[in-house]
Amino acid sequence: EVIYNPIDHDLYEPSYDNNNYFIYFGRIEKIKGINSMIKASIDADVNLKIVGEGNELDYLKEKFKGYSK
């Protein structure tokens, strides 16, 4: 059985403005690799906005608290 994404992508227009950031939107769990994503964004000097909740949230906030803008 295939479960398709319930969001109609035709209703949204992507924005390609260069705002120098990436967004992660989803569960904040260790299996998602957000720790590596944060490290990569720091190394590349690119802002990363993270939206979501999960078991890894408090750990990541504490580990990277000096990098928050």
Side-chain angles (χ1 to χ4, degrees), residues 4-68:
Y4 294 97
N5 190 334
I7 297 184
D8 183 355
H9 296 283
D10 293 332
L11 298 176
Y12 301 94
E13 183 72 27
S15 172
Y16 299 105
D17 295 335
N18 184 4
N19 292 318
N20 197 33
Y21 69 87
F22 290 97
I23 291 182
Y24 170 84
F25 188 88
R27 284 189 348 254
I28 302 175
E29 303 290 341
K30 187 173 186 174
I31 195 168
K32 298 291 186 173
I34 301 168
N35 190 29
S36 298
M37 188 184 318
I38 295 171
K39 288 178 184 177
S41 72
I42 292 168
D43 291 346
D45 196 29
V46 175
N47 292 325
L48 173 64
K49 298 183 181 200
I50 299 174
V51 180
E53 296 180 356
N55 295 330
E56 195 82 347
L57 179 60
D58 291 336
Y59 167 75
L60 293 173
K61 280 183 174 181
E62 181 64 26
K63 182 173 181 178
F64 295 104
K65 68 181 172 184
Y67 295 99
S68 181

